[in-house]
Amino acid sequence: MSRVVKRVLLLLAIVGSNAWAAEPVQSIKVGIYYPQVPPYMYKSDATSQVRGVIPELLNQFFSANHIRVNYVEDNRQRAELKLYDGEIDMMVLAEKWSKQPDKALYSSTVITHRDYIYTLQPQKLQALHALKNSTICLRRHYVYNGLQEALSSGRLLRLDSDSEFDQMNMLVNGRCDFAYLNEHVAQWLKLHQFADAELYRSDYIVDETGLTLALSLEWQPLLPKLNTFLQQAAESGLTDNLLQQHINGSAASQ
């Protein structure tokens, strides 16, 4: 038996050993983003099964706790509103990204989310404060804390797109000077969708966030167990293992 498998079995034993004292809950609705965001969450081409680091961690956790999970696809903005209104119970959302942070609970960090600036023209890469007269591809409706000054001052001109794939596609086709992307998503896109592109990344992190799960308030009794599971998954190497598997694994459709 491999070391990783042993760690996973031990992790599940730890999680399952402390039964939740509250009345058992039959199902939970988890929002996943559409357009898809590999390697974090996406659907398999062959089976339409929800895949990715987040769903695979949650599937293990909910299975150990005898909770049935239903995944609900929606875009990031609508999913957030549904969380506040009680239409879904959980989604990937950092507290600092939340429009109404007091209307949700937030788990421990699942993955460290680091954002960089990417370009095809390395000579254009400078310190963030020195960038000017340039266009940058971003996600429509997203607020980027690390770019606020550059955007508000006009040093960077924002060009919006509907997905990370569209951001990269616009960059590769010369429609913008830079794209602003999470490192893991950029790795996946480069490997599976833009293998021929010569991509260069800033040598500095523009923004860093602990990627967390946001839960509706009535799920507070589950939060301590979820946090224990996420901590054990990180310490055992399970989270990193899943991350690398999904970065290097088969491509999802865009």
Side-chain angles (χ1 to χ4, degrees), residues 2-227:
S2 73
R3 183 175 298 176
V4 171
V5 172
K6 287 180 179 178
R7 285 175 175 173
V8 172
L9 292 176
L10 176 61
L11 174 61
L12 292 177
I14 292 171
V15 172
S17 64
N18 300 310
W20 187 20
E23 187 71 19
V25 176
Q26 295 302 308
S27 64
I28 187 169
K29 291 182 180 178
V30 178
I32 61 168
Y33 295 171
Y34 187 86
Q36 302 179 56
V37 190
Y40 296 146
M41 43 193 157
Y42 60 98
K43 278 192 171 182
S44 163
D45 283 339
T47 65
S48 292
Q49 178 184 5
V50 176
R51 301 190 62 206
V53 180
I54 303 297
E56 291 199 29
L57 285 171
L58 289 180
N59 289 345
Q60 292 188 30
F61 174 73
F62 289 131
S63 176
N65 286 277
H66 310 292
I67 298 172
R68 184 174 65 251
V69 58
N70 298 312
Y71 291 104
V72 180
E73 285 186 274
D74 214 328
N75 69 39
R76 162 78 163 74
Q77 287 71 33
R78 283 197 299 264
E80 185 176 348
L81 294 176
K82 287 180 178 179
L83 179 72
Y84 301 147
D85 292 340
E87 294 181 50
I88 63 172
D89 304 302
M90 179 186 289
M91 66 179 290
V92 175
L93 182 67
E95 185 171 2
K96 78 176 190 179
W97 298 340
S98 175
K99 294 178 180 177
Q100 300 181 54
D102 59 331
K103 295 189 72 173
L105 306 167
Y106 301 90
S107 75
S108 301
T109 295
V110 183
I111 295 169
T112 300
H113 185 283
R114 288 182 286 260
D115 295 320
Y116 293 85
I117 290 174
Y118 292 83
T119 186
L120 302 182
Q121 304 173 67
Q123 69 276 10
K124 289 191 173 185
L125 282 174
Q126 304 175 57
L128 183 59
H129 66 81
L131 295 178
K132 59 183 179 180
N133 302 323
S134 300
T135 54
I136 187 164
C137 287
L138 302 174
R139 284 290 303 274
R140 196 180 316 277
H141 305 307
Y142 277 39
V143 175
Y144 296 93
N145 297 324
L147 295 177
Q148 278 302 102
E149 188 280 328
L151 292 170
S152 60
S153 68
R155 292 191 294 106
L156 288 178
L157 175 63
R158 176 178 186 143
L159 298 181
D160 283 336
S161 62
D162 292 322
S163 70
E164 284 85 353
F165 173 84
D166 290 340
Q167 285 178 261
M168 186 74 83
N169 199 38
M170 290 170 70
L171 177 66
V172 168
N173 285 285
R175 295 179 58 189
C176 50
D177 299 305
F178 303 108
Y180 183 85
L181 294 162
N182 164 264
E183 62 177 321
H184 301 132
V185 175
Q187 280 181 272
W188 190 94
L189 287 169
K190 175 67 171 70
L191 187 61
H192 296 289
Q193 299 286 346
F194 300 94
D196 295 332
E198 289 292 333
L199 198 63
Y200 299 90
R201 188 179 83 176
S202 60
D203 59 5
Y204 53 86
I205 300 168
V206 180
D207 199 13
E208 183 172 326
T209 305
L211 197 64
T212 60
L213 296 160
L215 293 79
S216 54
L217 299 177
E218 60 266 29
W219 285 89
Q220 194 281 329
L222 190 65
L223 188 58
K225 290 190 71 178
L226 177 60
N227 286 340

